[in-house]
Amino acid sequence: MKRSYARSIASLGIGRREAQVASYYYESKQTGEEPLTRITDSFTCRYAYGRAAESVMLSERGQDYLALRVNEDVCHFVLCDGVGLSYRGDVASRLLGQGLMNWLETNEEFTSSSLERRLMELTHEAEREVNALSLSSETPQLLREVLEEKQRKGSEAMYICGRIELPSGFRRKGRIWLAWQGDSRVRLWRQHKEITSLLGDRFHTAERWSSRQGPIGGSPHVFSSKLESDIGYRLQVYSDGLLDLDSMKDPVPDEQVQVLMNARHTGGLEDDASFLEIIW
């Protein structure tokens, strides 16, 4: 897959970077932190990525996966949160996230049924990779038995993905399409008024994707809507490491988002944290 990267400009202070772009791609590496970054053009996007303090201390991969692509008047993204109690949730979130990003680049009709088909297709690819993961020969026998049982059950991840199309010469009205399973946060504003209630009360911990079974706990939830031109929208998605954002209705300054990501008041993040905001 061809990737187009924007040149980022380092700024003073907290390490925030800003760039003006027409085409941009970001993918979290899961092995390190990403300070708050802002890109601006048809869309204004902010994103950040951080691992839990324990993961940093043990040099472990983050369970979250975050990716974003902006291509002129189209933006699509995915945020996946690996389930820690499953086998290698970091692998599940990466495989699921990359698979959904590739799918969102197609011109396929995005529906609940087409998404569910793609999620089932990804199980075949993911199961091969999960089964190929080997345990260390130094793993104690009792722990090995526990991990082998988890491996047989597969890896799991929650997810949010979406595609935003702005009005253009080909589209009189724009469109937003969102899909999710799990309890990661999705919030939407129109003309500075939060309209998240349109998404319904459909964010449940028991819902997720499994590398063995596909969607579990229910079918994917989908929200689709036309977008009026010349009306300001703001979409915000974040994983459960940033629950402090739940009470914040107004746009959060860059510096304050970075303070939450650093979590110095608690000695680092208690959970992995991914943050993405898209304004158009």
Side-chain angles (χ1 to χ4, degrees):
M1 178 175 60
K2 184 177 180 181
R3 297 179 180 177
S4 178
Y5 291 85
R7 177 179 298 176
S8 294
I9 304 172
S11 63
L12 299 176
I14 62 175
R16 177 173 60 86
R17 296 179 296 166
E18 184 168 354
Q20 290 188 338
V21 300
S23 182
Y24 189 85
Y25 181 78
Y26 166 75
E27 177 184 46
S28 59
K29 299 184 183 304
Q30 296 183 286
T31 55
E33 284 56 61
E34 181 71 38
L36 186 77
T37 299
R38 177 192 292 265
I39 63 170
T40 58
D41 196 68
S42 301
F43 300 90
T44 295
C45 304
R46 299 191 297 168
Y47 62 84
Y49 181 90
R51 293 174 296 162
E54 183 178 5
S55 297
V56 174
M57 181 179 65
L58 298 175
S59 298
E60 293 180 344
R61 291 178 175 271
Q63 300 273 330
D64 284 6
Y65 173 91
L66 178 66
L68 165 73
R69 181 181 290 280
V70 176
N71 189 7
E72 296 182 344
D73 59 354
V74 176
C75 172
H76 61 273
F77 69 89
V78 64
L79 186 158
C80 298
D81 184 354
V83 177
L85 294 178
S86 69
Y87 183 74
R88 294 296 302 271
D90 61 308
V91 174
S93 63
R94 174 178 57 82
L95 294 174
L96 176 62
Q98 291 175 341
L100 288 175
M101 282 296 285
N102 290 339
W103 179 70
L104 287 166
E105 288 185 34
T106 69
N107 292 319
E108 184 173 340
E109 183 68 23
F110 299 108
T111 64
S112 180
S113 58
S114 64
L115 171 61
E116 197 153 5
R117 284 195 301 272
R118 181 57 182 149
L119 291 171
M120 291 305 299
E121 292 169 358
L122 288 172
T123 61
H124 305 302
E125 303 169 21
E127 190 170 9
R128 286 194 298 270
E129 184 160 341
V130 170
N131 289 339
L133 296 172
S134 59
L135 299 175
S136 170
S137 59
E138 299 177 359
T139 304
Q141 182 61 30
L142 183 59
L143 177 58
R144 172 180 288 274
E145 292 174 0
V146 172
L147 292 176
E148 287 176 344
E149 177 61 23
K150 285 187 174 184
Q151 188 175 27
R152 283 190 289 271
K153 293 180 178 179
S155 299
E156 299 176 357
M158 305 179 190
Y159 64 89
I160 305 164
C161 64
R163 180 180 169 104
I164 303 164
E165 303 170 351
L166 299 181
S168 68
F170 301 101
R171 293 181 296 271
R172 188 173 64 85
K173 289 188 176 182
R175 182 180 71 150
I176 181 172
W177 186 88
L178 303 171
W180 67 89
Q181 281 186 289
D183 63 354
S184 294
R185 303 307 199 251
V186 186
R187 301 173 68 183
L188 182 63
W189 285 261
R190 182 177 59 204
Q191 291 184 321
H192 308 292
K193 179 181 179 181
E194 186 166 4
I195 56 173
T196 303
S197 59
L198 294 178
L199 306 181
D201 181 22
R202 300 183 293 175
F203 297 88
H204 307 293
T205 305
E207 298 180 353
R208 58 195 64 178
W209 173 84
S210 162
S211 64
R212 287 186 62 84
Q213 302 176 57
I216 57 177
S219 297
H221 299 292
V222 168
F223 171 81
S224 181
S225 177
K226 296 290 186 181
L227 296 173
E228 300 293 337
S229 59
D230 302 323
I231 291 181
Y233 291 88
R234 178 164 65 101
L235 175 70
Q236 193 178 83
V237 299
Y238 50 94
S239 58
D240 55 5
L242 288 175
L243 298 186
D244 287 345
L245 287 173
D246 287 356
S247 62
M248 301 181 185
K249 305 295 185 182
D250 297 325
V252 183
D254 293 350
E255 293 77 9
Q256 190 170 350
V257 174
Q258 190 62 52
V259 166
L260 294 176
M261 296 296 298
N262 293 339
R264 293 197 176 99
H265 60 296
T266 56
L269 291 166
E270 296 179 2
D271 296 297
D272 295 334
S274 297
F275 170 84
L276 174 64
E277 184 177 77
I278 305 169
I279 300 173
W280 67 95

